[in-house]
Amino acid sequence: MTVDRLESDVVVVGAGPAGLMLAGELRLGGADVVVLDRREGPTTQSRASTLHARTMEILDARGLLGALDGPPCETRGHFGGLPLDLTLPGAHPGQHKVPQTRTEQLLGDWAAGLGARLRRRHEVRAVRAGTLGVEVVAAGPSGPVRVRARYLVACDGQDSTVRRLLGADFPGQDATRELLRADVEGIHIPDRRFERLPGGLAIAARRADGVTRVMVHEFGVRAPGRAGEPEFAEVCAAWQRVTGEDIGAGTPLWVNAFGDACRQVARYRHGRVLYAGDAAHQQMPIGGQALNLGLQDAVNLGWKLAAVARGRAPHTLLDSYHDERHAVGRRVLDNIRTQAQLLLGGAEAASLRALMGELLQREDVRRHLAGMISGVDVRHDMGPGEHPLLGGRLPHARLAVGHEVRSGAELLRAGRGVLLTLHPAAAALHEEAAPWADRVSPVAARCADGVQGALHGVDALLVRPDGHVAWVRPGSTASLREALTCWFGAPRPAPAAAEGRSPALSPAVFGE
């Protein structure tokens, strides 16, 4: 039997949004990437349709927003079904409506254009992880495929095959309640936004193409622990019991159910194997947070893994992926669990909903929850220093760079670090950073509007490829050199690393 053999720096399992985002990020960093996916093509089901402000900033930083052609934006979101204004300072406030089909197409075209190798109809059957590499065996359309790579990233969803094959610890709780969901053509019912009726919760929204998405939960009904998707008849029966309306004459385009299961892989990194997206965390997709969480996992990991796989940074840099994203994931899971209680609870949740309704009238509470849901408040530990920008994402600003006015997002298009100086006195820092010129771009700028806002009093910032501020002057205790070495490796890489090559993969890695 002929076996197709491939080698790569990284093999990504799963070509959903997180896997495709990761593949593009890895290619920006110069890593070879093979993506394996068991599906014949991109999804035709718009499971998720919300992109939050932080994700929009990330897409802007990669030059991908233009292709979306200004998607509809809503400033009104919700917290557990209670109205919440998501407006916050930034370039893309609110939530933006983009069908998952379009998101996958956009990211797939981008990753392929950068040179990622996507193999569809490839179902993973075995995974072996060694001390210096991994091997994946998949069943492809023309027979077995064996892929050897330095690293593997599982982006294959909440029922991850990779996680199951390797026995990764995935603690948490199973679903006890669920929402039934369907996209239905040919029905005419009132739009409903989290309408609570005596028997349950009903949501309905008619799209511009005439398709209505319905979601329904019956109070007090436990999740049945189903193995597959529900039948449309089950959705119709529940909808009629809750609303009194008959939607059975409609044509279902997609039917599914999602529950309030809450799980998170114990370690996002297991040696040469890493987890991202729903393979790393399972949660109820309330408010579109699940998709956004996965995309942001990918952007945090991509530049780090590319640098390590190509020999430009030590493998310990990958530990920061677990440290940063596991904490973010835990916080999102906690807020989703709270929202599920508010959203799916019956009469027993009335007092909690009333209290939260009062708290949401406070501006400080609104801003706190809006920042958490939109992802713009994520702050990582960058070492000693107390400046409010340190660890957060680069704030939106219009910057005069030479004779051009550019946004901070535009400075990140190449997927490199940026040393941004905002005062002539900081110009000497560019020379100090010269040994990292292959990984960090020096940019001298001034605020184009003459008002620095969040950048007031800042002379210089070191910005990671994912947009987070790793060093700021004044404000960081560490020196610029220490920050550069921490996040971008040693200065002037050794010849083998400068060529972007590591030793060839050896069969001995896998005990052969």
Side-chain angles (χ1 to χ4, degrees), residues 179-182 184 187-193 195 197 201-205 212-218 232-248:
L179 264 172
L180 298 174
R181 176 169 58 173
V184 189
I187 61 173
H188 299 278
I189 58 175
D191 278 3
R192 291 179 167 89
R193 187 176 177 87
E195 183 174 354
L197 298 164
L201 173 73
I203 304 165
T212 300
R213 172 165 292 185
V214 299
M215 290 186 277
V216 60
H217 167 72
E218 293 184 81
F232 181 52
E234 185 178 348
V235 180
C236 294
W239 186 264
Q240 187 158 40
R241 286 193 294 269
V242 171
T243 69
E245 297 169 352
D246 183 4
I247 60 173

Side-chain angles (χ1 to χ4, degrees), residues 52-59 296 374-376 393 466-468:
H52 285 298
R54 180 62 187 136
T55 299
M56 293 293 284
E57 292 175 355
I58 287 169
L59 296 178
Q296 291 163 33
S374 63
V376 300
R393 98 268 196 228
D466 59 3
H468 283 266

